[in-house]
Amino acid sequence: MALGCERLGALLERTVKLTLRCGVFQGVLQHVNPDRSLLLRRVKNLETGRSTPGVKMFFDHEIVNVELLEEPDSGKGTAALSECTSAVEGNKRAEAGPADCGPWTSLCDSLESQLRVSNSLKYSLSEKKEEENVKYTVVDCSQQFGPAVLHLKQQCVVSVAGEGVNLCRHGKLSWLEVATSSHIFLFDIFFLGPWAFKNGLQMVLEDKNILKVMHDCRWISDCLFHQYGVLLSNVFDTQAADVLQFSMATGGFLPHRVCTLQECLMQHLKIPSKCDAIMKCGQHVASENPDIWFLRPFPASLLKAFALKAMYLLLLHSTLMDNLMSDLTAVVHDYLNAYRTASGHHLGSTNSTCMELPEELRQLARIQKLRRENAVKDYKMNKDGLLIRPAMELKERNDPYKDGNYRDDGERFPTDKAVPQITSFHNWEIKIKKP
């Protein structure tokens, strides 16, 4: 890897600002490829103020310059942006050709990925009244049940969540929420009883060809198995995936605790504060009055909270999958260019070396080492060697998609820090203002 790549690689897991020919973006630097393309996660379009979860790739010919952003609470704003010289600009124009984004125009619309699922759900959500327009179907009779189950059987991915009292083999399941790419169904299990599982829900939940997205499936799995004979299969658990993603980002460390669903949604999706408030309000009402699970008609505000949870679980799955696959995506990209961009003089015979671990894969060890070093600086560690992950609290802010860090008194949370150095990389210039 070139020297410039190594220097920029030292900024992994830091927030950078990219000025492109088609816009200005901000995100956390995830990976630097040998061909000078960059992978960023939690990307935000600074021109529109909108964010998208997951990982985005930015190619060298698109990038005008790179800027490392300082710590959000430092009061210094962003680091000084160096202007590219006319010679550099001339080189970039020659490489890039016409001033357009080519096949990567999607990078100019950073909200597209985030709304990919929610738009297809046909919620017609407005920016300020998302929670008022979420659509769902309450299934509490056989007339509605048949079409709902038929629709579920045709899906590849659904989200599943359960509500009730003490959800385990000793508790009582009241509602089962199941969302697909076009519908949200709220099954009234208290009213339908075991009949619902015997007539289709069990088949869906046990179908190995249908991925079930859940958060902390331990409790509801115990409940469904012991009370209804349902053996859940093919489950993607977002709580477990969040821990795995944390381990990847810190070079193999584990956190001292898991995250609630709300924390995962805040961290990975930056959900609007109003939607988060509705879900938390629903939890509060139910905890204050457990008998509410057995009241019919059921409060519409709680049904709305259930529907939001099911909707965001699908988005959370998509985002976590992007994060978990980011290293593989980067390595495969390097694989594609390993030979075809080289001179080719060494390709006469590869039999003797084809089984050796290539350089494109060896870089994973260096990346993991760097991540571990950064993690030790960014987190406190408990006596068991686990990184202390602080609790996150949603704070009101004007822009619900605003990218930021959350702090907890007495504990350190990863922040985007300015590095007192100047790093040059290819034709870009990265200037970091010394504090």
Side-chain angles (χ1 to χ4, degrees):
M1 187 179 293
L3 180 61
C5 295
E6 293 177 350
R7 290 180 177 176
L8 192 63
L11 305 183
L12 290 178
E13 302 302 325
R14 304 300 182 192
T15 299
V16 298
K17 174 182 175 182
L18 299 185
T19 301
L20 309 181
R21 297 185 178 280
C22 60
V24 183
F25 295 83
Q26 171 185 314
V28 178
L29 185 61
Q30 185 79 11
H31 192 82
V32 181
N33 294 313
D35 65 350
R36 298 178 292 274
S37 60
L38 306 179
L39 265 71
L40 270 63
R41 60 183 173 86
R42 293 194 301 178
V43 177
K44 178 178 180 180
N45 187 327
L46 295 181
E47 295 180 341
T48 65
R50 293 172 174 175
S51 302
T52 179
V55 178
K56 293 291 184 183
M57 180 174 289
F58 297 85
F59 281 76
D60 172 49
H61 69 81
E62 298 178 302
I63 302 173
V64 177
N65 49 26
V66 182
E67 178 183 351
L68 179 67
L69 299 185
E70 290 184 347
E71 190 168 336
D73 59 350
S74 65
K76 298 180 182 178
T78 61
L81 176 64
S82 63
E83 297 293 335
C84 295
T85 63
S86 58
V88 170
E89 276 297 317
N91 291 337
K92 298 292 284 185
R93 291 193 189 98
E95 293 177 4
D100 61 65
C101 298
W104 296 96
T105 306
S106 59
L107 293 174
C108 298
D109 187 7
S110 61
L111 190 61
E112 180 182 353
S113 175
Q114 184 179 12
L115 296 182
R116 181 174 66 251
V117 175
S118 56
N119 279 345
S120 65
L121 291 172
K122 301 179 181 178
Y123 297 133
S124 303
L125 304 180
S126 65
E127 284 187 292
K128 296 184 179 179
K129 296 184 178 181
E130 261 183 306
E131 74 278 10
E132 297 180 5
N133 295 324
V134 61
K135 296 180 181 179
Y136 55 87
T137 300
V138 175
V139 181
D140 56 5
C141 66
S142 58
Q143 184 177 5
Q144 300 164 318
F145 186 85
V149 170
L150 181 61
H151 174 73
L152 295 179
K153 289 180 179 179
Q154 299 170 345
Q155 306 304 308
C156 295
V157 182
V158 300
S159 64
V160 179
E163 314 293 340
V165 180
N166 188 25
L167 277 190
C168 65
R169 69 186 70 183
H170 306 300
K172 182 64 178 178
L173 179 63
S174 179
W175 292 90
L176 191 73
E177 307 106 81
V178 185
T180 72
S181 60
S182 57
H183 292 83
I184 298 177
F185 299 106
L186 306 181
F187 291 92
D188 190 343
I189 303 302
F190 174 69
F191 184 81
L192 297 173
W195 177 91
F197 296 98
K198 295 177 181 178
N199 286 273
L201 279 184
Q202 180 172 2
M203 185 182 302
V204 171
L205 295 173
E206 294 183 346
D207 193 330
K208 296 180 180 180
N209 295 316
I210 302 176
L211 180 69
K212 274 72 69 175
V213 182
M214 310 177 77
H215 187 85
D216 193 359
C217 62
R218 295 172 294 174
W219 305 101
I220 190 170
S221 175
D222 184 69
C223 175
L224 292 174
F225 179 73
H226 288 279
Q227 295 190 22
Y228 302 101
V230 175
L231 188 63
L232 277 169
S233 66
N234 195 12
V235 171
F236 181 97
D237 193 290
T238 55
Q239 187 176 79
D242 170 72
V243 170
L244 179 58
Q245 193 273 334
F246 180 94
S247 179
M248 288 178 53
T250 57
F253 285 107
L254 292 174
H256 79 298
R257 67 173 185 87
V258 294
C259 279
T260 65
L261 176 58
Q262 278 70 29
E263 287 177 320
C264 284
L265 294 177
M266 289 161 53
Q267 180 177 351
H268 299 291
L269 293 184
K270 301 296 185 293
I271 65 170
S273 57
K274 290 184 178 180
C275 295
D276 180 81
I278 286 182
M279 289 187 285
K280 286 186 176 179
C281 181
Q283 292 178 341
H284 177 73
V285 170
S287 63
E288 288 292 317
N289 182 18
D291 292 337
I292 200 170
W293 298 114
F294 312 114
L295 297 179
R296 297 297 184 273
F298 200 74
S301 58
L302 289 181
L303 294 177
K304 192 179 300 181
F306 299 166
L308 282 172
K309 178 193 292 188
M311 176 185 95
Y312 280 119
L313 266 174
L314 281 181
L315 279 171
L316 185 59
H317 162 255
S318 177
T319 300
L320 284 170
M321 280 299 298
D322 283 345
N323 291 339
L324 293 174
M325 296 295 289
S326 61
D327 283 354
L328 176 61
T329 300
V331 168
V332 171
H333 182 268
D334 294 347
Y335 251 45
L336 290 172
N337 293 298
Y339 293 155
R340 69 184 182 189
T341 59
S343 62
H345 67 276
H346 63 292
L347 299 180
S349 175
T350 59
N351 292 333
S352 60
T353 61
C354 64
M355 298 308 295
E356 294 180 1
L357 189 67
E359 177 62 25
E360 290 77 19
L361 295 180
R362 296 190 185 198
Q363 65 175 316
L364 289 173
R366 296 193 292 269
I367 293 173
Q368 289 296 87
K369 181 176 181 292
L370 179 60
R371 289 173 179 172
R372 289 181 67 86
E373 293 172 352
N374 289 336
V376 171
K377 299 175 184 177
D378 291 333
Y379 289 89
K380 286 185 176 180
M381 186 180 296
N382 67 11
K383 62 181 181 180
D384 297 321
L386 303 176
L387 300 185
I388 298 176
R389 168 189 270 182
M392 297 170 59
E393 293 184 1
L394 185 63
K395 300 178 181 179
E396 288 293 331
R397 50 191 184 275
N398 294 330
D399 181 8
Y401 294 101
K402 184 177 180 181
D403 212 355
N405 294 304
Y406 299 83
R407 288 186 172 275
D408 209 38
D409 292 340
E411 295 178 327
R412 298 180 62 192
F413 192 68
T415 54
D416 305 314
K417 303 174 182 176
V419 180
Q421 63 183 29
I422 295 179
T423 306
S424 61
F425 181 57
H426 190 49
N427 287 331
W428 327 322
E429 203 172 276
I430 309 165
K431 269 193 179 179
I432 300 99
K433 185 185 295 182
K434 294 184 178 181

